[in-house]
Amino acid sequence: MTDFSHDGGVSAARLIGAVAGSAISLVYLLPKGNREAATRFLTGVACGLIFGGPVGLWLVRKLDVAASLSPQETMLAGAAAASLSAWWALGVLARLAQRYGGRPGEP
């Protein structure tokens, strides 16, 4: 099992992965304004920091590459994947709610 102790390399990889995943999500689905961009970026970073470890472990097990990757690489990949997928899930729901979530009686 990968050891995610609190050394600087793993923590830095988690932060870099979270920021990279958030930045990529902004490029693939352009935000409508500054507020949406900031919200998406911060949501992605938070999700990458929180869920980076579990997502990284899940990825390396599914891809069967655990023996080939260091803990830093596992954390980087997990944080980026969690960060990137956070906006896709939340962003799609937000846009659907905005489009179809009007109050009754409003056009």
Side-chain angles (χ1 to χ4, degrees):
M1 180 154 173
T2 305
D3 179 27
F4 290 143
S5 61
H6 293 287
D7 69 357
V10 173
S11 297
R14 181 183 302 209
L15 180 62
I16 292 168
V19 169
S22 289
I24 291 168
S25 75
L26 292 174
V27 172
Y28 277 118
L29 186 62
L30 294 174
K32 291 182 179 179
N34 291 338
R35 182 176 180 181
E36 183 180 346
T39 302
R40 284 174 47 187
F41 185 78
L42 293 175
T43 300
V45 170
C47 287
L49 291 173
I50 294 167
F51 299 112
V55 172
L57 290 174
W58 179 79
L59 280 173
V60 298
R61 287 185 181 150
K62 284 292 184 185
L63 298 174
D64 197 25
V65 293
S68 303
L69 297 177
S70 70
Q72 291 85 2
E73 292 169 322
T74 301
M75 185 62 76
L76 180 71
S83 178
L84 179 61
S85 62
W87 175 247
W88 285 102
L90 295 174
V92 168
L93 288 175
R95 289 200 177 176
L96 286 174
Q98 183 179 17
R99 178 176 291 164
Y100 299 112
R103 294 189 176 129
E106 289 183 3

